Amino acid sequence: MSPLTVIVVLYIISCVNFLNAYTTYNVIPTKDETRRFYGIGGLSGGGRTTHSDVYVVKTDNLKRRFLGIGGLSAGATSKLLVNYPEQQRNEILDYLFKPEFGASLQILKVEIGGDAQSTDGTEASHMHYPWDENYQRGYEWWLMVEAKKRNPGIMLYCLPWAFPAWVGDGKRDPYNNPNLTASYVVKWIQGARKYYNLTMDYVGVWNERPYNAKYIKTLRQMLDNAGLDQVQIVAADGLWEPIAIDIQADKELAKAVDIIGVHYPGTKTTQMAIDTGKPLWSSEDYSTFNDNVGAGCWARILNQNYVNGFMTSTISWNLIASYYEALPFARDGLMTADSPWSGYYRVDAPIWITAHMTQFTHQGWYYTAQGSGSSLLKDGGSMVSLISWNGIQLTIVIETMSRNHSVCIRPFLPEYDVKPQNISIQLTGYFAELPSLFVRYSKLGFDGEDSILFKDMGTIPVTGNGTVQLSLGVDEVYTLSTLEGRQKGNYDNVPPQKPFPLPYMDDFESYELYKEPFNFSPQVGSFEVLASKDVFHSRILRQTVIENPIYWCLFIDLVFPIGILGDFSWSDIYVEVDVYIGTVNATSGAYVATRVNKGGCDSFAAEGVFFFIFPGQGIVITGDLARTKELYNQEMNISTNAWYKMGLLVKDGQVTGTLNGQQVFSIKAPVSPAPQNGFVALGTANYGLADFDNLKITDSTEGSRMVKETHGNDEMFHNEKFTSVKDRPEDTLYFKSQRLNNRG
């Protein structure tokens, strides 16, 4: 380009800037959007004030580095994603991790499984026992590999929620022997590198539980000795204090801790934490239903965690709602994928709220100082400005989330007002010479209004003195950036949602060893597919935990292993499974169940219809997992080291049970307040080994036919092995309760 051409171009730009010098920029709606936003600000520019508040973006005093926006896979929240059809699974992973496509996440945080319940299920440990080291279990390895495929620069962060019992070295305390616990964690990190070529960037201490300074120092030393000095320690995934106090008082601890990470800070920090000089993270946040209110929560905290709390990274729990919706914290993910049998998934609004930040920033950029491009807005909302390390790229993210449309599940959000407002952004230095910025826009819809998500609005002019003028409505997000070429990724033809399929059968033969079966969600205990020496049971499902782990669920001793699957709406249903209880490290009994109504940390209180067998004792039918609501019992000759086919049918107010094709009980089904619907479940009476095979679930009509065909009529069969029983509904707590409630 000749010097004369350059002069002409600059002259034209200056003329355009002059003409726009006092024009407030309005995003112009398309024809079909005009009605929705007429007269309320936002897209139509209605509700203008008589002035513009000025916010100056300064390029000096850049101290705090943006360290990324992330998602957290923990508590078995990615369980159902693994067995999605390949096409839909790849699409989902693209929405989460592919750069400049969807959420484009910059950090992936995962659980180091500990064989114990950690919110919506249990995640398997790499070391069930001290002599057992296995890196094939679980799905977090797979998820990290897939994330790295799409974004090699994504940062990886690992953290334990629970620990196998042996890690406590005789106590229910992971800090009883710091060397043992640190070795357990370091082996996981080494296994990630050795078997999956995954390098951890960050490691935590113990999720939301007390930390131990000696352990943190030991972990740092052991990481360094193992050549893992690049792994940074985040402490302590809880509150700002006392970790900030201890860091200032203990130089060795301060040297060991690289980042202070807290959970659900409500966008606030403490002066003590700031004074440590450490990077401050919201290392777990959001945890909110992913409708538009959830998206508003996410938009608000992504900005205000820095504006109010100096936090330079925010990580969402959870990454993706890929667990049964009837479990705790339904749909608390950035998107939803809980129907692998149909391939259906939904790209929820938080994905595009995330993109407003992640598609226009890179880790290592600088936040501008508070009050110098990052601040609260006078009439509500906030803005943050980020500048690239070389000082030539700029991104500004603005949110105007109203209080009731941005409430997070925690902590409490005080009342505040947001109004339509005009703002002027004053760029300085290099950026004052820009002719324009690229614009992405979102408007969250409420009260029947549609949402506009991550819409490309072209460019916004920058006037000759570096001014950008913008009219803001309520519940909006803007990204203004020097970066172009971003996209709102889209895959068409997502399959329709379908109910859980019936009949459903699983003989566990198709799985790799040490994996969990598809759709089967352990809630207490750890279940994995193993090879059997029995020629009729080549591969089986085994409950593997033999001691009570160092648990995460507060004040609750979860001692009854259980895994669920199916459709929570099931009421009348038939389920059968082969069960084997040995003699070495074995459980005392095993069960099959229907109408199971609870999971998560409340699994101990699960109710339903539970059919137990106990070798050397007999059968017990109960209305709850803890066996406090007995419905029926019968002494029987049940042996160890033998397979039993257990069948349980609930139909038309009757519960029928079979063993090896012979009916052994038939009683009235529990009535309300007992649960009338719920999951199918398998499990053991206590910790200890038990094997399962040939799972089958059918509707109750087919199940009834199968039961009748097995023994020819409705009469109860018996032989010398099984003793006949009779109906005793009057002996059950549920029926007693019902009679009392019916007294006039």
Side-chain angles (χ1 to χ4, degrees), residues 612-620 634-638:
F612 287 85
I613 60 170
F614 291 94
Q617 300 179 51
I619 65 170
V620 177
Q634 177 68 35
E635 293 183 2
M636 288 186 181
N637 181 22
I638 295 174

Side-chain angles (χ1 to χ4, degrees), residues 1 17 33 53 55 174 198 211 327 352 392 461 485 499-500 536 656 695 729:
M1 185 179 291
N17 286 339
E33 293 166 345
D53 295 307
Y55 300 90
L198 296 169
Y211 63 89
L327 289 172
W352 305 116
I392 63 172
F500 194 95
F536 298 106
T656 303
L695 172 66

Side-chain angles (χ1 to χ4, degrees), residues 423-445:
I423 67 170
S424 294
I425 301 172
Q426 181 66 58
L427 306 181
T428 63
Y430 168 82
F431 301 114
E433 305 300 320
L434 295 173
S436 62
L437 294 170
F438 297 98
V439 182
R440 284 280 174 169
Y441 172 82
S442 291
K443 169 78 174 182
L444 296 176

Side-chain angles (χ1 to χ4, degrees), residues 571-573 595 609 649-656 666-671 676 700 727 729 735:
S571 180
D572 284 9
I573 200 77
R595 295 186 177 182
V609 178
L649 172 67
V650 181
K651 179 176 171 59
D652 297 335
Q654 200 75 8
V655 179
T656 303
S666 183
I667 63 174
K668 291 182 179 179
V671 296
Q676 299 301 293
S700 60
D727 190 355
F735 287 107

Side-chain angles (χ1 to χ4, degrees), residues 623-699:
D624 66 335
L625 176 60
R627 306 198 298 280
T628 67
K629 300 176 180 179
E630 187 173 295
L631 304 175
Y632 186 83
N633 72 78
Q634 177 68 35
E635 293 183 2
M636 288 186 181
N637 181 22
I638 295 174
S639 304
T640 57
N641 297 324
W643 282 98
Y644 290 90
K645 183 177 290 293
M646 301 179 67
L648 180 62
L649 172 67
V650 181
K651 179 176 171 59
D652 297 335
Q654 200 75 8
V655 179
T656 303
T658 62
L659 277 179
N660 290 346
Q662 301 177 31
Q663 185 170 307
V664 292
F665 73 90
S666 183
I667 63 174
K668 291 182 179 179
V671 296
S672 181
Q676 299 301 293
N677 57 275
F679 294 111
V680 159
L682 309 172
T684 56
N686 44 36
Y687 285 115
L689 306 183
D691 297 342
F692 302 88
D693 200 3
N694 298 322
L695 172 66
K696 178 182 288 186
I697 308 171
T698 71
D699 63 63

Side-chain angles (χ1 to χ4, degrees), residues 128 134-138 196 508-517 527-532 537-542:
H128 292 319
N134 185 305
Y135 298 93
Q136 307 306 309
R137 300 184 184 116
Y196 300 97
F508 312 119
E509 296 299 320
S510 62
Y511 301 104
E512 296 178 18
L513 295 179
Y514 314 112
K515 300 300 185 184
E516 288 177 1
F527 296 75
E528 64 190 55
V529 173
L530 295 171
S532 169
H537 299 274
S538 178
R539 292 198 173 181
I540 49 87
L541 177 65
R542 175 171 294 169

Side-chain angles (χ1 to χ4, degrees), residues 211-214 216-217 243 246-247 250-258 278:
Y211 63 89
N212 178 282
K214 182 179 179 181
I216 294 173
K217 297 172 192 176
I243 187 65
D246 289 347
I247 285 173
D250 186 335
K251 291 182 179 179
E252 189 179 354
L253 180 63
K255 187 177 179 180
V257 173
D258 298 282
K278 302 287 184 184

